[in-house]
Amino acid sequence: MELREWAIHILSADRIEDKLFDPSHFSDFNPGPAIFWNEPTRPPGMQFSRHTRKKDKLPPFQDHHHPDNRAICLHRFAGHELLAVEIMAFALLAFPDAPRQFRMGLANTLREEQVHVKLYMEQMERLGLKFGDLPLFKHFWKQTEYLTSPIDYVSMMSLTFEMANLDFAPHYGASFKRNGDIDAYNLMKQILTDEISHVRFGMRWIQKLKQADPDAFELYKESISPHLPIKRARGFVFQEEPRRAAGVPDHWIEALKNPTTHQTALISS
Ligand SMILES: [Fe+2]
Ligand SMILES: [Fe+2]
C-alpha cells in the first residue's frame, strides 16, 4: 500500500480497526501533493471532548491500588497513542517532499504507535474498560497549524510529546508495579523502550534536516508551536538516562532540567 493511501485511510476511518490497519508492506512511489488534513474522522463515541483541567485530571498515584484508576490512566495513554497515529498520518500527507528515509522511518514509527494503542486496549479491557468509554481529547491536533515542515514535526512530536513520555512512562510504570500490576508495568516498560527510539528518530532528523549552522536545540525552540513551552518535553520526575540513550545532547538535557528558568530567559531575551 502507498503511504499516502494508508495515511488517508487512517485519517478518514470511522472504525478503530481501520485506524489501526497495518498494510504490512508499504511503498512510496506516489507521495502526491501536500495535504494539510484539518481534523481526523473518529469512530462513533471517540470524537474529541473538551478537556477541563480540573474534571479531567488523572487519578493521583496514591489511588493506583484501585484497578479502575489504573484503567483510567491506561485509557488516557491510549488516547495519546491514537493521536500520535493520526499526527504521523498527517505528517505523511503534509510532507510528501521529505527525504524518503524520513518518510519510511515515520511510517515505521506510526506502525509502532498502532501497536501501542492495541496493547493499551488489551490492558484496559483486562481492567474492565473499553477504549472510548471515557472522553478523548484533541490535544496534538490543536497544534497542527504550526506543523509546516518535517523539522516542525520532529520538534513537536518526537522532541516534545514523545520526549515527555521518557519521564511519564517509567513513572507510571513504577506505580503500577508498586500496586502489583505487573502486566501494566511491563507495558510501560515496552512503551519506554519504543519511545527512546522515537526520540532518537527526532534527534537524528533535526540534525540531518537543519541548515549548516544553527544548534539543533536552538532550532528546536524556534520550531515548536508558541503554545508549547519547552517544559512540555518533560514530566514531573526528570529522567536523564533514557534521554542519553536517545542521543539528546548534554546542553539540551541541562536546559530541560530547569525549563522555567530557561523559558523566562528566552522570553526576556
Ligand atoms: Fe507510542
Ligand atoms: Fe512514540
Side-chain angles (χ1 to χ4, degrees):
M1 188 181 220
E2 280 283 298
L3 293 185
R4 176 186 176 84
E5 200 189 329
W6 186 38
I8 292 174
H9 181 85
I10 288 169
L11 291 173
S12 51
D14 62 1
R15 297 184 327 147
I16 190 70
E17 296 79 1
D18 290 318
K19 294 266 177 208
L20 304 181
F21 172 68
D22 177 354
S24 71
H25 289 293
F26 36 63
S27 54
D28 198 21
F29 299 120
N30 181 22
I35 302 174
F36 289 85
W37 202 275
N38 187 29
E39 219 178 277
T41 302
R42 281 291 180 100
M46 297 185 89
Q47 286 88 358
F48 298 131
S49 298
R50 216 186 133 82
H51 182 267
T52 43
R53 202 170 269 220
K54 210 167 161 197
K55 184 169 65 68
D56 298 309
K57 235 182 158 81
L58 280 177
F61 285 84
Q62 68 267 24
D63 294 342
H64 283 184
H65 57 277
H66 200 297
D68 290 355
N69 289 327
R70 297 198 299 278
I72 293 170
C73 296
L74 297 171
H75 191 283
R76 181 70 58 87
F77 303 155
H80 293 161
E81 301 287 354
L82 181 57
L83 287 166
V85 165
E86 291 170 337
I87 293 295
M88 290 171 192
F90 170 96
L92 285 174
L93 292 177
F95 311 124
D97 299 329
R100 187 189 138 79
Q101 277 181 321
F102 174 89
R103 291 175 55 78
M104 284 299 178
L106 182 58
N108 279 317
T109 310
L110 194 165
R111 213 178 220 169
E112 289 187 359
E113 305 301 357
Q114 290 178 315
V115 173
H116 293 171
V117 176
K118 287 181 197 160
L119 293 172
Y120 276 121
M121 284 171 68
E122 274 171 32
Q123 289 303 311
M124 75 176 85
E125 280 166 24
R126 173 178 61 84
L127 299 174
L129 201 61
K130 269 194 67 172
F131 196 24
D133 280 353
L134 298 175
L136 291 163
F137 307 109
K138 197 172 178 179
H139 292 318
F140 309 170
W141 278 100
K142 287 189 186 160
Q143 312 296 338
T144 48
E145 66 175 292
Y146 301 101
L147 291 184
T148 59
S149 70
I151 289 181
D152 291 346
Y153 164 81
V154 294
S155 297
M156 182 184 104
M157 273 309 294
S158 328
L159 303 175
T160 304
F161 295 134
E162 294 185 293
M163 196 189 285
N165 219 7
L166 302 184
D167 300 326
F168 289 119
H171 198 184
Y172 277 87
S175 176
F176 297 155
K177 189 181 182 192
R178 264 197 314 277
N179 287 284
D181 194 336
I182 300 305
D183 288 340
Y185 161 69
N186 284 332
L187 171 53
M188 300 317 286
K189 235 169 57 174
Q190 180 178 343
I191 297 286
L192 175 62
T193 306
D194 292 346
E195 215 67 287
I196 290 172
S197 74
H198 299 173
V199 175
R200 196 183 299 124
F201 172 86
M203 284 308 312
R204 205 175 51 235
W205 279 102
I206 200 168
Q207 302 283 354
K208 275 195 178 184
L209 294 167
K210 76 184 174 72
Q211 304 296 321
D213 261 355
D215 172 75
F217 182 50
E218 295 304 316
L219 180 60
Y220 160 73
K221 286 184 293 188
E222 285 163 23
S223 308
I224 43 173
S225 147
H227 304 295
L228 289 177
I230 64 163
K231 69 174 183 199
R232 292 291 297 273
R234 57 163 293 167
F236 18 87
V237 180
F238 189 78
Q239 303 284 342
E240 213 167 303
E241 199 195 314
R243 284 181 174 78
R244 293 203 186 283
V248 183
D250 289 347
H251 66 297
W252 197 318
I253 290 178
E254 287 310 311
L256 287 178
K257 280 185 188 167
N258 284 306
T260 19
T261 336
H262 198 78
Q263 203 81 32
T264 316
L266 274 178
I267 289 161
S268 58
S269 65

PDB file of all heavy atoms in Angstrom, residues 84-118:
ATOM      1  N   ALA A  84      -1.123  10.140  18.289  1.00  0.00           N
ATOM      2  CA  ALA A  84       0.190  10.016  17.641  1.00  0.00           C
ATOM      3  C   ALA A  84       0.039   9.332  16.280  1.00  0.00           C
ATOM      4  O   ALA A  84       0.613   9.777  15.279  1.00  0.00           O
ATOM      5  CB  ALA A  84       1.151   9.232  18.535  1.00  0.00           C
ATOM      6  N   VAL A  85      -0.767   8.267  16.225  1.00  0.00           N
ATOM      7  CA  VAL A  85      -1.037   7.576  14.949  1.00  0.00           C
ATOM      8  C   VAL A  85      -1.533   8.601  13.921  1.00  0.00           C
ATOM      9  O   VAL A  85      -1.039   8.685  12.792  1.00  0.00           O
ATOM     10  CB  VAL A  85      -2.108   6.462  15.148  1.00  0.00           C
ATOM     11  CG1 VAL A  85      -2.677   5.985  13.817  1.00  0.00           C
ATOM     12  CG2 VAL A  85      -1.523   5.297  15.943  1.00  0.00           C
ATOM     13  N   GLU A  86      -2.507   9.398  14.348  1.00  0.00           N
ATOM     14  CA  GLU A  86      -3.126  10.337  13.400  1.00  0.00           C
ATOM     15  C   GLU A  86      -2.173  11.460  12.989  1.00  0.00           C
ATOM     16  O   GLU A  86      -2.146  11.862  11.825  1.00  0.00           O
ATOM     17  CB  GLU A  86      -4.391  10.932  14.019  1.00  0.00           C
ATOM     18  CG  GLU A  86      -5.513   9.913  14.163  1.00  0.00           C
ATOM     19  CD  GLU A  86      -6.683  10.436  14.983  1.00  0.00           C
ATOM     20  OE1 GLU A  86      -6.494  11.385  15.794  1.00  0.00           O
ATOM     21  OE2 GLU A  86      -7.796   9.914  14.825  1.00  0.00           O
ATOM     22  N   ILE A  87      -1.392  11.963  13.946  1.00  0.00           N
ATOM     23  CA  ILE A  87      -0.479  13.072  13.608  1.00  0.00           C
ATOM     24  C   ILE A  87       0.623  12.569  12.670  1.00  0.00           C
ATOM     25  O   ILE A  87       1.079  13.294  11.787  1.00  0.00           O
ATOM     26  CB  ILE A  87       0.124  13.705  14.888  1.00  0.00           C
ATOM     27  CG1 ILE A  87      -0.979  14.412  15.692  1.00  0.00           C
ATOM     28  CG2 ILE A  87       1.254  14.667  14.558  1.00  0.00           C
ATOM     29  CD1 ILE A  87      -1.618  15.619  15.018  1.00  0.00           C
ATOM     30  N   MET A  88       1.022  11.314  12.847  1.00  0.00           N
ATOM     31  CA  MET A  88       2.024  10.757  11.938  1.00  0.00           C
ATOM     32  C   MET A  88       1.437  10.599  10.533  1.00  0.00           C
ATOM     33  O   MET A  88       2.116  10.857   9.535  1.00  0.00           O
ATOM     34  CB  MET A  88       2.585   9.457  12.502  1.00  0.00           C
ATOM     35  CG  MET A  88       3.456   9.752  13.716  1.00  0.00           C
ATOM     36  SD  MET A  88       4.006   8.332  14.653  1.00  0.00           S
ATOM     37  CE  MET A  88       4.654   9.163  16.117  1.00  0.00           C
ATOM     38  N   ALA A  89       0.168  10.210  10.470  1.00  0.00           N
ATOM     39  CA  ALA A  89      -0.509  10.141   9.164  1.00  0.00           C
ATOM     40  C   ALA A  89      -0.617  11.553   8.572  1.00  0.00           C
ATOM     41  O   ALA A  89      -0.393  11.762   7.365  1.00  0.00           O
ATOM     42  CB  ALA A  89      -1.897   9.514   9.316  1.00  0.00           C
ATOM     43  N   PHE A  90      -0.930  12.530   9.423  1.00  0.00           N
ATOM     44  CA  PHE A  90      -0.977  13.932   8.987  1.00  0.00           C
ATOM     45  C   PHE A  90       0.360  14.311   8.341  1.00  0.00           C
ATOM     46  O   PHE A  90       0.406  14.907   7.263  1.00  0.00           O
ATOM     47  CB  PHE A  90      -1.255  14.834  10.205  1.00  0.00           C
ATOM     48  CG  PHE A  90      -1.102  16.310   9.959  1.00  0.00           C
ATOM     49  CD1 PHE A  90      -2.211  17.095   9.660  1.00  0.00           C
ATOM     50  CD2 PHE A  90       0.149  16.930  10.021  1.00  0.00           C
ATOM     51  CE1 PHE A  90      -2.068  18.469   9.429  1.00  0.00           C
ATOM     52  CE2 PHE A  90       0.299  18.299   9.781  1.00  0.00           C
ATOM     53  CZ  PHE A  90      -0.817  19.068   9.488  1.00  0.00           C
ATOM     54  N   ALA A  91       1.474  13.962   9.023  1.00  0.00           N
ATOM     55  CA  ALA A  91       2.804  14.346   8.530  1.00  0.00           C
ATOM     56  C   ALA A  91       3.137  13.636   7.208  1.00  0.00           C
ATOM     57  O   ALA A  91       3.761  14.232   6.324  1.00  0.00           O
ATOM     58  CB  ALA A  91       3.865  14.040   9.590  1.00  0.00           C
ATOM     59  N   LEU A  92       2.711  12.390   7.064  1.00  0.00           N
ATOM     60  CA  LEU A  92       2.969  11.692   5.795  1.00  0.00           C
ATOM     61  C   LEU A  92       2.285  12.421   4.633  1.00  0.00           C
ATOM     62  O   LEU A  92       2.825  12.492   3.529  1.00  0.00           O
ATOM     63  CB  LEU A  92       2.463  10.246   5.866  1.00  0.00           C
ATOM     64  CG  LEU A  92       3.322   9.274   6.685  1.00  0.00           C
ATOM     65  CD1 LEU A  92       2.624   7.911   6.803  1.00  0.00           C
ATOM     66  CD2 LEU A  92       4.716   9.104   6.071  1.00  0.00           C
ATOM     67  N   LEU A  93       1.102  12.975   4.899  1.00  0.00           N
ATOM     68  CA  LEU A  93       0.394  13.700   3.839  1.00  0.00           C
ATOM     69  C   LEU A  93       0.925  15.118   3.654  1.00  0.00           C
ATOM     70  O   LEU A  93       0.948  15.638   2.539  1.00  0.00           O
ATOM     71  CB  LEU A  93      -1.109  13.775   4.166  1.00  0.00           C
ATOM     72  CG  LEU A  93      -1.869  12.450   4.122  1.00  0.00           C
ATOM     73  CD1 LEU A  93      -3.322  12.656   4.533  1.00  0.00           C
ATOM     74  CD2 LEU A  93      -1.804  11.839   2.715  1.00  0.00           C
ATOM     75  N   ALA A  94       1.350  15.736   4.745  1.00  0.00           N
ATOM     76  CA  ALA A  94       1.758  17.145   4.688  1.00  0.00           C
ATOM     77  C   ALA A  94       3.150  17.332   4.084  1.00  0.00           C
ATOM     78  O   ALA A  94       3.444  18.384   3.536  1.00  0.00           O
ATOM     79  CB  ALA A  94       1.704  17.759   6.087  1.00  0.00           C
ATOM     80  N   PHE A  95       3.999  16.290   4.227  1.00  0.00           N
ATOM     81  CA  PHE A  95       5.392  16.468   3.801  1.00  0.00           C
ATOM     82  C   PHE A  95       5.812  15.412   2.763  1.00  0.00           C
ATOM     83  O   PHE A  95       6.685  14.576   3.020  1.00  0.00           O
ATOM     84  CB  PHE A  95       6.325  16.427   5.024  1.00  0.00           C
ATOM     85  CG  PHE A  95       5.846  17.327   6.139  1.00  0.00           C
ATOM     86  CD1 PHE A  95       5.623  16.824   7.419  1.00  0.00           C
ATOM     87  CD2 PHE A  95       5.563  18.661   5.894  1.00  0.00           C
ATOM     88  CE1 PHE A  95       5.139  17.647   8.434  1.00  0.00           C
ATOM     89  CE2 PHE A  95       5.075  19.491   6.898  1.00  0.00           C
ATOM     90  CZ  PHE A  95       4.867  18.988   8.169  1.00  0.00           C
ATOM     91  N   PRO A  96       5.180  15.492   1.570  1.00  0.00           N
ATOM     92  CA  PRO A  96       5.498  14.495   0.543  1.00  0.00           C
ATOM     93  C   PRO A  96       6.923  14.628   0.015  1.00  0.00           C
ATOM     94  O   PRO A  96       7.474  13.664  -0.516  1.00  0.00           O
ATOM     95  CB  PRO A  96       4.473  14.801  -0.571  1.00  0.00           C
ATOM     96  CG  PRO A  96       4.065  16.221  -0.348  1.00  0.00           C
ATOM     97  CD  PRO A  96       4.145  16.454   1.126  1.00  0.00           C
ATOM     98  N   ASP A  97       7.518  15.831   0.185  1.00  0.00           N
ATOM     99  CA  ASP A  97       8.858  16.047  -0.364  1.00  0.00           C
ATOM    100  C   ASP A  97       9.977  15.745   0.629  1.00  0.00           C
ATOM    101  O   ASP A  97      11.148  15.930   0.317  1.00  0.00           O
ATOM    102  CB  ASP A  97       9.010  17.510  -0.832  1.00  0.00           C
ATOM    103  CG  ASP A  97       7.998  17.832  -1.913  1.00  0.00           C
ATOM    104  OD1 ASP A  97       7.642  16.906  -2.679  1.00  0.00           O
ATOM    105  OD2 ASP A  97       7.544  18.998  -1.977  1.00  0.00           O
ATOM    106  N   ALA A  98       9.614  15.315   1.823  1.00  0.00           N
ATOM    107  CA  ALA A  98      10.635  14.970   2.824  1.00  0.00           C
ATOM    108  C   ALA A  98      11.458  13.792   2.289  1.00  0.00           C
ATOM    109  O   ALA A  98      10.968  13.017   1.464  1.00  0.00           O
ATOM    110  CB  ALA A  98       9.961  14.586   4.137  1.00  0.00           C
ATOM    111  N   PRO A  99      12.711  13.653   2.762  1.00  0.00           N
ATOM    112  CA  PRO A  99      13.534  12.534   2.275  1.00  0.00           C
ATOM    113  C   PRO A  99      12.811  11.188   2.457  1.00  0.00           C
ATOM    114  O   PRO A  99      12.095  10.992   3.437  1.00  0.00           O
ATOM    115  CB  PRO A  99      14.788  12.595   3.160  1.00  0.00           C
ATOM    116  CG  PRO A  99      14.832  13.992   3.679  1.00  0.00           C
ATOM    117  CD  PRO A  99      13.414  14.472   3.751  1.00  0.00           C
ATOM    118  N   ARG A 100      13.045  10.330   1.512  1.00  0.00           N
ATOM    119  CA  ARG A 100      12.394   9.020   1.515  1.00  0.00           C
ATOM    120  C   ARG A 100      12.633   8.263   2.831  1.00  0.00           C
ATOM    121  O   ARG A 100      11.729   7.671   3.407  1.00  0.00           O
ATOM    122  CB  ARG A 100      12.966   8.220   0.335  1.00  0.00           C
ATOM    123  CG  ARG A 100      12.296   6.925   0.081  1.00  0.00           C
ATOM    124  CD  ARG A 100      13.076   6.128  -0.961  1.00  0.00           C
ATOM    125  NE  ARG A 100      13.121   4.721  -0.544  1.00  0.00           N
ATOM    126  CZ  ARG A 100      12.120   3.873  -0.698  1.00  0.00           C
ATOM    127  NH1 ARG A 100      10.994   4.274  -1.251  1.00  0.00           N
ATOM    128  NH2 ARG A 100      12.219   2.630  -0.288  1.00  0.00           N
ATOM    129  N   GLN A 101      13.870   8.337   3.328  1.00  0.00           N
ATOM    130  CA  GLN A 101      14.194   7.618   4.576  1.00  0.00           C
ATOM    131  C   GLN A 101      13.431   8.192   5.764  1.00  0.00           C
ATOM    132  O   GLN A 101      13.072   7.468   6.685  1.00  0.00           O
ATOM    133  CB  GLN A 101      15.677   7.728   4.876  1.00  0.00           C
ATOM    134  CG  GLN A 101      16.510   6.710   4.142  1.00  0.00           C
ATOM    135  CD  GLN A 101      17.972   6.887   4.522  1.00  0.00           C
ATOM    136  OE1 GLN A 101      18.441   8.023   4.662  1.00  0.00           O
ATOM    137  NE2 GLN A 101      18.667   5.788   4.677  1.00  0.00           N
ATOM    138  N   PHE A 102      13.217   9.499   5.735  1.00  0.00           N
ATOM    139  CA  PHE A 102      12.433  10.135   6.797  1.00  0.00           C
ATOM    140  C   PHE A 102      11.007   9.592   6.753  1.00  0.00           C
ATOM    141  O   PHE A 102      10.442   9.196   7.778  1.00  0.00           O
ATOM    142  CB  PHE A 102      12.424  11.662   6.595  1.00  0.00           C
ATOM    143  CG  PHE A 102      11.516  12.401   7.557  1.00  0.00           C
ATOM    144  CD1 PHE A 102      11.994  12.826   8.788  1.00  0.00           C
ATOM    145  CD2 PHE A 102      10.188  12.662   7.230  1.00  0.00           C
ATOM    146  CE1 PHE A 102      11.160  13.497   9.686  1.00  0.00           C
ATOM    147  CE2 PHE A 102       9.348  13.330   8.118  1.00  0.00           C
ATOM    148  CZ  PHE A 102       9.838  13.748   9.350  1.00  0.00           C
ATOM    149  N   ARG A 103      10.431   9.528   5.555  1.00  0.00           N
ATOM    150  CA  ARG A 103       9.043   9.070   5.425  1.00  0.00           C
ATOM    151  C   ARG A 103       8.909   7.597   5.823  1.00  0.00           C
ATOM    152  O   ARG A 103       7.944   7.206   6.464  1.00  0.00           O
ATOM    153  CB  ARG A 103       8.533   9.323   3.996  1.00  0.00           C
ATOM    154  CG  ARG A 103       8.372  10.825   3.717  1.00  0.00           C
ATOM    155  CD  ARG A 103       7.990  11.116   2.270  1.00  0.00           C
ATOM    156  NE  ARG A 103       6.806  10.426   1.806  1.00  0.00           N
ATOM    157  CZ  ARG A 103       5.543  10.774   2.080  1.00  0.00           C
ATOM    158  NH1 ARG A 103       5.308  11.829   2.850  1.00  0.00           N
ATOM    159  NH2 ARG A 103       4.521  10.087   1.589  1.00  0.00           N
ATOM    160  N   MET A 104       9.885   6.803   5.448  1.00  0.00           N
ATOM    161  CA  MET A 104       9.831   5.383   5.809  1.00  0.00           C
ATOM    162  C   MET A 104       9.990   5.199   7.325  1.00  0.00           C
ATOM    163  O   MET A 104       9.301   4.391   7.944  1.00  0.00           O
ATOM    164  CB  MET A 104      10.916   4.596   5.061  1.00  0.00           C
ATOM    165  CG  MET A 104      10.569   4.360   3.611  1.00  0.00           C
ATOM    166  SD  MET A 104       9.019   3.389   3.464  1.00  0.00           S
ATOM    167  CE  MET A 104       8.812   3.309   1.700  1.00  0.00           C
ATOM    168  N   GLY A 105      10.888   5.981   7.917  1.00  0.00           N
ATOM    169  CA  GLY A 105      11.072   5.929   9.372  1.00  0.00           C
ATOM    170  C   GLY A 105       9.797   6.358  10.088  1.00  0.00           C
ATOM    171  O   GLY A 105       9.385   5.742  11.085  1.00  0.00           O
ATOM    172  N   LEU A 106       9.168   7.393   9.555  1.00  0.00           N
ATOM    173  CA  LEU A 106       7.924   7.885  10.131  1.00  0.00           C
ATOM    174  C   LEU A 106       6.828   6.811  10.041  1.00  0.00           C
ATOM    175  O   LEU A 106       6.079   6.579  10.996  1.00  0.00           O
ATOM    176  CB  LEU A 106       7.520   9.154   9.357  1.00  0.00           C
ATOM    177  CG  LEU A 106       6.285   9.913   9.771  1.00  0.00           C
ATOM    178  CD1 LEU A 106       6.384  10.344  11.221  1.00  0.00           C
ATOM    179  CD2 LEU A 106       6.113  11.150   8.879  1.00  0.00           C
ATOM    180  N   ALA A 107       6.779   6.150   8.894  1.00  0.00           N
ATOM    181  CA  ALA A 107       5.777   5.085   8.705  1.00  0.00           C
ATOM    182  C   ALA A 107       6.005   3.946   9.707  1.00  0.00           C
ATOM    183  O   ALA A 107       5.047   3.406  10.281  1.00  0.00           O
ATOM    184  CB  ALA A 107       5.840   4.560   7.273  1.00  0.00           C
ATOM    185  N   ASN A 108       7.265   3.605   9.920  1.00  0.00           N
ATOM    186  CA  ASN A 108       7.551   2.541  10.897  1.00  0.00           C
ATOM    187  C   ASN A 108       7.171   2.956  12.307  1.00  0.00           C
ATOM    188  O   ASN A 108       6.679   2.147  13.093  1.00  0.00           O
ATOM    189  CB  ASN A 108       9.033   2.155  10.847  1.00  0.00           C
ATOM    190  CG  ASN A 108       9.295   1.210   9.688  1.00  0.00           C
ATOM    191  OD1 ASN A 108       8.518   0.290   9.450  1.00  0.00           O
ATOM    192  ND2 ASN A 108      10.349   1.465   8.946  1.00  0.00           N
ATOM    193  N   THR A 109       7.400   4.233  12.624  1.00  0.00           N
ATOM    194  CA  THR A 109       7.018   4.728  13.950  1.00  0.00           C
ATOM    195  C   THR A 109       5.498   4.687  14.087  1.00  0.00           C
ATOM    196  O   THR A 109       4.967   4.256  15.115  1.00  0.00           O
ATOM    197  CB  THR A 109       7.535   6.180  14.151  1.00  0.00           C
ATOM    198  OG1 THR A 109       8.913   6.217  13.811  1.00  0.00           O
ATOM    199  CG2 THR A 109       7.365   6.633  15.584  1.00  0.00           C
ATOM    200  N   LEU A 110       4.807   5.115  13.035  1.00  0.00           N
ATOM    201  CA  LEU A 110       3.329   5.088  13.059  1.00  0.00           C
ATOM    202  C   LEU A 110       2.822   3.676  13.376  1.00  0.00           C
ATOM    203  O   LEU A 110       1.936   3.476  14.215  1.00  0.00           O
ATOM    204  CB  LEU A 110       2.806   5.557  11.694  1.00  0.00           C
ATOM    205  CG  LEU A 110       1.329   5.919  11.569  1.00  0.00           C
ATOM    206  CD1 LEU A 110       1.087   6.691  10.276  1.00  0.00           C
ATOM    207  CD2 LEU A 110       0.381   4.770  11.643  1.00  0.00           C
ATOM    208  N   ARG A 111       3.449   2.732  12.720  1.00  0.00           N
ATOM    209  CA  ARG A 111       3.083   1.332  12.950  1.00  0.00           C
ATOM    210  C   ARG A 111       3.244   0.940  14.421  1.00  0.00           C
ATOM    211  O   ARG A 111       2.415   0.237  14.993  1.00  0.00           O
ATOM    212  CB  ARG A 111       4.045   0.501  12.126  1.00  0.00           C
ATOM    213  CG  ARG A 111       3.514  -0.731  11.590  1.00  0.00           C
ATOM    214  CD  ARG A 111       4.616  -1.357  10.785  1.00  0.00           C
ATOM    215  NE  ARG A 111       4.092  -1.926   9.584  1.00  0.00           N
ATOM    216  CZ  ARG A 111       4.865  -2.340   8.597  1.00  0.00           C
ATOM    217  NH1 ARG A 111       6.168  -2.175   8.659  1.00  0.00           N
ATOM    218  NH2 ARG A 111       4.323  -2.899   7.551  1.00  0.00           N
ATOM    219  N   GLU A 112       4.341   1.397  15.032  1.00  0.00           N
ATOM    220  CA  GLU A 112       4.558   1.081  16.458  1.00  0.00           C
ATOM    221  C   GLU A 112       3.508   1.764  17.336  1.00  0.00           C
ATOM    222  O   GLU A 112       3.078   1.224  18.345  1.00  0.00           O
ATOM    223  CB  GLU A 112       5.966   1.486  16.888  1.00  0.00           C
ATOM    224  CG  GLU A 112       7.001   0.552  16.277  1.00  0.00           C
ATOM    225  CD  GLU A 112       8.429   0.781  16.774  1.00  0.00           C
ATOM    226  OE1 GLU A 112       8.654   1.683  17.605  1.00  0.00           O
ATOM    227  OE2 GLU A 112       9.308   0.062  16.305  1.00  0.00           O
ATOM    228  N   GLU A 113       3.088   2.959  16.929  1.00  0.00           N
ATOM    229  CA  GLU A 113       2.037   3.643  17.703  1.00  0.00           C
ATOM    230  C   GLU A 113       0.727   2.871  17.609  1.00  0.00           C
ATOM    231  O   GLU A 113      -0.033   2.795  18.577  1.00  0.00           O
ATOM    232  CB  GLU A 113       1.829   5.081  17.217  1.00  0.00           C
ATOM    233  CG  GLU A 113       3.065   5.972  17.187  1.00  0.00           C
ATOM    234  CD  GLU A 113       3.757   6.158  18.526  1.00  0.00           C
ATOM    235  OE1 GLU A 113       3.271   5.634  19.556  1.00  0.00           O
ATOM    236  OE2 GLU A 113       4.822   6.797  18.542  1.00  0.00           O
ATOM    237  N   GLN A 114       0.472   2.287  16.444  1.00  0.00           N
ATOM    238  CA  GLN A 114      -0.746   1.459  16.312  1.00  0.00           C
ATOM    239  C   GLN A 114      -0.676   0.269  17.271  1.00  0.00           C
ATOM    240  O   GLN A 114      -1.677  -0.077  17.905  1.00  0.00           O
ATOM    241  CB  GLN A 114      -0.882   0.946  14.869  1.00  0.00           C
ATOM    242  CG  GLN A 114      -1.220   2.030  13.858  1.00  0.00           C
ATOM    243  CD  GLN A 114      -1.296   1.467  12.455  1.00  0.00           C
ATOM    244  OE1 GLN A 114      -0.428   0.691  12.029  1.00  0.00           O
ATOM    245  NE2 GLN A 114      -2.318   1.851  11.704  1.00  0.00           N
ATOM    246  N   VAL A 115       0.511  -0.327  17.362  1.00  0.00           N
ATOM    247  CA  VAL A 115       0.674  -1.451  18.296  1.00  0.00           C
ATOM    248  C   VAL A 115       0.453  -0.960  19.730  1.00  0.00           C
ATOM    249  O   VAL A 115      -0.210  -1.635  20.532  1.00  0.00           O
ATOM    250  CB  VAL A 115       2.084  -2.102  18.141  1.00  0.00           C
ATOM    251  CG1 VAL A 115       2.324  -3.142  19.220  1.00  0.00           C
ATOM    252  CG2 VAL A 115       2.241  -2.707  16.758  1.00  0.00           C
ATOM    253  N   HIS A 116       0.963   0.224  20.039  1.00  0.00           N
ATOM    254  CA  HIS A 116       0.765   0.757  21.403  1.00  0.00           C
ATOM    255  C   HIS A 116      -0.723   0.905  21.718  1.00  0.00           C
ATOM    256  O   HIS A 116      -1.158   0.575  22.815  1.00  0.00           O
ATOM    257  CB  HIS A 116       1.472   2.114  21.562  1.00  0.00           C
ATOM    258  CG  HIS A 116       2.970   2.013  21.511  1.00  0.00           C
ATOM    259  ND1 HIS A 116       3.793   3.105  21.451  1.00  0.00           N
ATOM    260  CD2 HIS A 116       3.788   0.931  21.525  1.00  0.00           C
ATOM    261  CE1 HIS A 116       5.062   2.701  21.430  1.00  0.00           C
ATOM    262  NE2 HIS A 116       5.072   1.388  21.457  1.00  0.00           N
ATOM    263  N   VAL A 117      -1.489   1.424  20.765  1.00  0.00           N
ATOM    264  CA  VAL A 117      -2.939   1.566  21.013  1.00  0.00           C
ATOM    265  C   VAL A 117      -3.516   0.191  21.351  1.00  0.00           C
ATOM    266  O   VAL A 117      -4.243   0.033  22.333  1.00  0.00           O
ATOM    267  CB  VAL A 117      -3.682   2.148  19.778  1.00  0.00           C
ATOM    268  CG1 VAL A 117      -5.187   2.184  20.032  1.00  0.00           C
ATOM    269  CG2 VAL A 117      -3.180   3.549  19.438  1.00  0.00           C
ATOM    270  N   LYS A 118      -3.160  -0.808  20.530  1.00  0.00           N
ATOM    271  CA  LYS A 118      -3.709  -2.165  20.745  1.00  0.00           C
ATOM    272  C   LYS A 118      -3.332  -2.696  22.121  1.00  0.00           C
ATOM    273  O   LYS A 118      -4.147  -3.295  22.820  1.00  0.00           O
ATOM    274  CB  LYS A 118      -3.192  -3.135  19.674  1.00  0.00           C
ATOM    275  CG  LYS A 118      -3.826  -2.906  18.322  1.00  0.00           C
ATOM    276  CD  LYS A 118      -3.288  -3.908  17.293  1.00  0.00           C
ATOM    277  CE  LYS A 118      -3.622  -3.395  15.893  1.00  0.00           C
ATOM    278  NZ  LYS A 118      -2.809  -3.959  14.854  1.00  0.00           N
TER     279      LYS A 118
END
